Amino acid sequence: MSAYDTATQEGTDAELTDFDGRPDDCDCWDAELPCWPCYRDGFDVPNPNAGVE
């Protein structure tokens, strides 16, 4: 990508829906604390979509 290209978000509906910046190795399950990968990446709350298919 050059400096003159504009950033666009392309992908399938599932890819666009799941795009929330969470790490690929997210394994949140607790309702109060984020998993280590999310905490390491700066998230203070667990993934609200955890367990949702």
Side-chain angles (χ1 to χ4, degrees):
M1 177 184 282
S2 75
Y4 300 105
D5 291 338
T6 56
T8 60
Q9 187 179 42
E10 297 176 0
T12 64
D13 288 339
E15 289 170 338
L16 295 176
T17 301
D18 293 339
F19 182 77
D20 67 352
R22 295 284 175 164
D24 291 336
D25 55 347
C26 168
D27 60 353
C28 288
W29 61 273
D30 191 290
E32 296 179 23
L33 298 171
C35 65
W36 171 246
C38 286
Y39 182 77
R40 176 190 66 213
D41 285 0
F43 293 95
D44 293 331
V45 295
N47 186 349
N49 297 323
V52 177
E53 292 292 326

